Structure formats: C-alpha cells, structure tokens
Amino acid sequence: MGSAILARSFVQAYRQALANASRNGVAQEAVQNMKRAGKTMTDAEARQILGVTENASWEEIMQRYDNLFERNAKNGSFYLQSKVHRAKECLEAIHQPKEPEEK
C-alpha cells in the first residue's frame, strides 16, 4: 500500500516537473543543446583547441596532441581530453592521405 502511494506521488511530481520545464523553456533549451552537440568540429576549432596554426605540419599537430592528451590524462579533465582527441581526429581527416581502395 505504501509503495503504491509513493509511486503515484512520484508520477505526479514527474508530470509537474515536465509541465514546469515546458513553461520555463528548459525543455526547448535542452533540445537545442542536443542539436548543437551533434554538430561536428570545424578544422578552425580543432586548430584552436590544439593551439596550432593553419600551416602546421602533421608532426607539430601530433606533438601538441600528445602533450595535451597526456596532461589531461594525468591530472586534467576527461572532457578536455576528449575535445583534444576529437580535434586530432578532425585534423587527421584533412592531413592524412586517403588510402587507395583495393578492387
């Protein structure tokens, strides 16, 4: 009996929270943030994260990547480490030649 009352009150509280969120625009903001998060990183953003110039060589990019990745692995944040990794992936697609397709 007690668990039924608790479950009913939880459902009512959840419905009220959803109603409050939609009134305050929180739900729309959350959807917009999810859309923004799905966008890929630009090469300019990747260069900014790694701190390299537009005409940096692949070796320079990898040096910066290794340095920043290791720093964040030891005592940094996982978020920054993942941003550094995504930046390297983005620039890798530009700098690394495509492998020839085998027929």
Side-chain angles (χ1 to χ4, degrees), residues 16-72:
Q16 186 62 44
L18 285 177
N20 290 342
S22 65
R23 261 196 308 252
N24 294 335
V26 174
Q28 289 85 3
E29 185 178 343
V31 169
Q32 288 174 351
N33 287 340
M34 287 185 344
K35 285 181 184 176
R36 268 188 247 130
K39 293 183 180 176
T40 59
M41 183 180 292
T42 64
D43 62 330
E45 184 182 8
R47 291 179 194 288
Q48 185 178 20
I49 289 169
L50 293 176
V52 295
T53 61
E54 197 170 308
N55 52 5
S57 68
W58 180 245
E59 290 76 26
E60 290 176 76
I61 292 170
M62 284 306 296
Q63 285 177 343
R64 290 291 297 163
Y65 165 76
D66 290 336
N67 185 13
L68 291 170
F69 192 84
E70 287 302 317
R71 279 189 187 176
N72 283 297

Side-chain angles (χ1 to χ4, degrees), residues 1-10:
M1 172 110 174
S3 62
I5 294 171
L6 182 62
R8 225 177 300 129
S9 64
F10 178 76

